[in-house]
Every structure is written in C-alpha cells, then in structure tokens.
Amino acid sequence: QVQLVESGGGLVQAGGSLRLSCAASGSIFSINAMGWYRQAPGKQRELVATITSGGSTNYADSVKGRFTISRDNAKNLMYLQMNNLKPEDTAVYYCKTFGPSAFWGQGTQVTVSS
C-alpha cells in the first residue's frame, strides 16, 4: 500500500511559479500512472495532469504549456512544476495513483493572487 503526501503549496502572485511534490511512502516504480488533481472552492475536483511509469504525460487544456508533471521513481517522488500561475489556478492540489487501487494524498493549498 502506498501513502502519498503533497507539499510545496503556498501563496504566490499571478505570473509566479511553484513546484509541488508528492512523496510516496512506498515504491512508485510499479505504479504505471499517477496524476495531480485540483479542487477550487465550490467547484468539482478536476484532473490536472497524469504521468505514466514510462514518462508519458497528459495535461488539462487549462494548464498546457504552463505546468509540467514529472516523477523520480528512484526517490518515490512526483512533481508538478507550475509556471505562469493564474488566479484561476487557486485550489487544493492532490496527488493520486491510478489503477485497481487508488491512493490519494491529503492535498496542498495553492493560492494565486492577482
């Protein structure tokens, strides 16, 4: 079983950058897909980006060209590099595994001021 802990959230100005980290208590080498979700107040949780064990990535249209998802299997870490942040990026960001067993982190708050 994998436990996930997000970190790196905070308050940034529009146009700024932030890198989120997701640390796994167990190996993520065998997890073929992981991703980041976000949920803003009063809105549905949405999928932001995914990455496979082989490094293939997909992004929501709203973050393409601004966000980069990556993973370091040797260190059991997944990252979300967020550049050119916008106020609409404000949300709680969650990391998640995909597959027969889904594991979620506790979330980390990202707030982007205008």
Side-chain angles (χ1 to χ4, degrees), residues 47-112:
L47 180 61
V48 176
T50 60
I51 185 167
T52 68
S53 60
S56 297
T57 59
N58 284 287
Y59 299 91
D61 288 341
S62 59
V63 306
K64 285 181 179 177
R66 300 188 298 118
F67 289 12
T68 303
I69 188 172
S70 61
R71 60 193 286 176
D72 186 337
N73 292 332
K75 296 183 177 180
N76 298 324
L77 292 171
M78 182 177 66
Y79 304 100
L80 185 67
Q81 178 66 48
M82 305 183 294
N83 298 325
N84 192 24
L85 284 161
K86 303 176 180 180
E88 51 263 44
D89 295 319
T90 295
V92 177
Y93 284 72
Y94 302 87
C95 63
K96 179 186 180 291
T97 63
F98 293 87
S101 298
F103 300 98
W104 291 84
Q106 85 288 353
T108 185
Q109 176 71 50
V110 172
T111 302
V112 184

